[in-house]
């Protein structure tokens, strides 16, 4: 927020001239400058409070991930998946502090990797305060949480620590630098040389967060192979149902709640006017609109999944509806700030069918992902990037990404193909980068026999073999049924 200026020399003649009025002018301007500085301080405080509040909402998504993951696995692996969710946050915090944030946002830098702020040295600065670091850390651990769902129930605990540290400390930060840092080669905030005259619009991370986490999980699950019993000897799929639909629903609602920090919070500030000050319309309006588009995309995807699965399989499935809802959220995340509410409905409708289609393909290819994380976050995230290239509205694009004349916007909104081309580039680059890095890591772990647990451990459950006991207390009769 710019400070208001007062000039005693200009005020002096207006007060009638003379020595007395000169002193009065200096006094008035002194008081005015003090008040102006307080307004500037208040502006910083309001924006930082907004960012911190959004950060807390995003971090609350870790509770949602934990509940969703726990409910989606069998009871004998509950403690294992809960512990991995805790450690995603803990290891992510440590490694993102050491070098993840620096690789992502260490400006000034080149277009490919950040170079400053290792260990938060020279922090805070004119560019970044501590709240921004915390906000970006909450995003980084969300990507790691996505991956843990894909490889649940069959992965050695040590492998979790290795991949989570690698993902949050290196893979994710470099990808986020490309698209979110002002220096990134594909960033829409670059001062010049914008990709296709636009740069990539991935506002809150359909590609940076969801595709990175989903594709990392894809490679982990592919290299590990399916869980024991997921497919029979003839190749027919068998259902390995999670043990608690209650936890799945609870986790879904917590993620929904957190998404209001994830998407609207990505504005980073709220006290910003669009045009003349004093208007009812400003960034605070865009924040509200973003919350609306997020809600509509998720709601539409949930309803589409409800009736779509009813037609396909003949019953109403709460787990499918929850995953459909989250697929809608993952898709709208890229363009939530630059599309109209009616377009968000289209986004959610298509996202539901993208998820259903990828799940069918996964079953045919004998791919096993207990939480459908690769299909949901990778597939719906990619659709969200394409959707933004089709439906981004000119007025919103210029508000959220100002300063560039004739910036391309959505193809179907009359903005040409520049933005869509940039979005396609992001899909290809994120898929390639994550595949090369995380695919290689999982392959090395596999060859070193550090990735998958033994057949006996998997049959008994990781809670008993690795974590000292079951998550729940059972009666004698119930214990006989645990090893399903």
């Amino acid at each position: 927020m710019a400070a208001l200026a007062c000039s005693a020399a200009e005020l002096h003649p207006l007060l009638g001239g003379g020595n007395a009025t000169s002193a009065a002018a200096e006094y008035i301007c002194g008081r005015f400058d003090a008040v102006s500085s307080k307004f500037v301080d208040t502006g910083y405080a309001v924006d930082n409070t907004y960012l911190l509040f959004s950060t807390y909402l995003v971090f609350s998504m870790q509770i949602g991930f934990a509940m969703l993951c726990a409910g989606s696995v069998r009871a004998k692996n509950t403690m294992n998946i809960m512990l991995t969710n805790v450690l995603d946050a803990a290891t992510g915090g440590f490694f993102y502090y050491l070098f993840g944030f620096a690789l992502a946002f260490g400006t000034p830098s080149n277009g490919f990797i950040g170079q400053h702020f290792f260990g938060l040295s020279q922090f805070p600065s004119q560019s970044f305060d501590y709240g921004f670091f915390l906000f970006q850390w909450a995003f980084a651990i969300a990507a790691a949480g996505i991956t843990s769902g894909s490889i649940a129930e069959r992965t050695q605990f040590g492998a979790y620590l290795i991949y989570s540290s690698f993902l949050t400390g290196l893979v994710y930060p470099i990808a986020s630098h490309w698209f979110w840092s002002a220096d990134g080669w594909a960033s829409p905030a670059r001062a010049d040389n914008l990709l296709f005259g636009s740069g990539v619009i991935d506002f809150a991370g359909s590609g940076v967060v969801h595709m990175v986490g989903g594709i990392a999980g894809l490679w982990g699950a592919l290299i590990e192979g399916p869980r024991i019993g997921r497919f029979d000897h003839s190749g027919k799929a068998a259902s390995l149902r999670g043990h608690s639909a209650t936890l799945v629903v609870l986790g879904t609602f917590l993620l929904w709640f957190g998404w209001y920090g994830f998407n609207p919070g990505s504005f980073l500030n709220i006290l910003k006017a669009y045009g003349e000050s004093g208007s009812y319309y400003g960034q605070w309006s865009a924040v509200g609109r973003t919350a609306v588009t997020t809600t509509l995309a998720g709601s539409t995807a949930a309803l589409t999944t409800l009736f779509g699965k009813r037609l396909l399989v003949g019953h109403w499935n709460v787990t499918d509806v929850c995953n459909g809802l989250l697929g809608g959220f993952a898709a709208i995340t890229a363009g939530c700030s630059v599309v109209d509410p009616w377009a968000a409905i289209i986004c959610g409708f298509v996202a539901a069918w993208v998820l259903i289609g990828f799940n069918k393909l996964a079953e045919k290819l004998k791919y096993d992902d207990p939480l459908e994380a690769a299909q949901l976050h990778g597939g719906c995230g990619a659709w969200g990037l394409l959707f933004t290239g089709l439906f981004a509205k000119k007025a919103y694009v210029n508000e959220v990404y100002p300063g560039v004349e004739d910036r391309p916007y959505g193809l179907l909104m009359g903005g040409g193909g520049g933005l869509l081309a940039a979005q396609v580039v992001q899909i290809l680059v994120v898929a390639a980068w994550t595949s090369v890095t995380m695919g290689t890591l999982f392959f090395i772990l596999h060859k070193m026999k550090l990735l998958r647990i033994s057949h006996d451990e998997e049959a008994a459950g990781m809670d008993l073999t690795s974590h000292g006991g079951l998550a729940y207390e059972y009666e004698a009769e119930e214990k006989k049924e645990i090893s399903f």
Side-chain angles (χ1 to χ4, degrees), residues 66-74 78 81 241-245 247-248:
M67 296 299 100
L68 181 69
C69 289
S72 298
V73 302
R74 290 164 292 179
T78 305
I81 197 69
R241 296 174 64 89
H243 81 281
S244 176
L247 290 177
V248 169

Side-chain angles (χ1 to χ4, degrees), residues 399-418:
E399 289 170 356
V400 178
Y401 302 100
V404 177
E405 293 185 8
D406 302 320
R407 185 193 290 271
Y409 49 100
L411 176 65
L412 298 183
M413 306 297 286

Side-chain angles (χ1 to χ4, degrees), residues 123-214:
F123 216 81
S125 69
Q126 186 69 27
S127 303
F128 303 122
D129 208 337
Y130 289 106
F132 182 74
F133 163 79
L134 204 65
F135 185 72
Q136 296 301 335
W137 159 74
F139 272 60
I141 61 176
I146 292 167
T147 304
S148 66
S150 294
I151 57 178
E153 299 201 284
R154 60 204 190 276
T155 305
Q156 291 188 40
F157 185 69
Y160 278 112
L161 297 176
I162 294 170
Y163 94 77
S164 182
S165 303
F166 187 64
L167 182 63
T168 55
L170 181 71
V171 178
Y172 169 84
I174 291 177
S176 61
H177 178 81
W178 296 343
F179 306 108
W180 284 349
S181 170
D183 299 323
W185 63 268
S187 171
R190 284 181 64 88
D192 53 18
N193 299 321
L194 290 168
L195 182 65
F196 295 107
S198 167
V200 170
I201 295 181
D202 186 11
F203 183 71
S206 288
V208 172
V209 178
H210 295 282
M211 280 193 67
V212 167

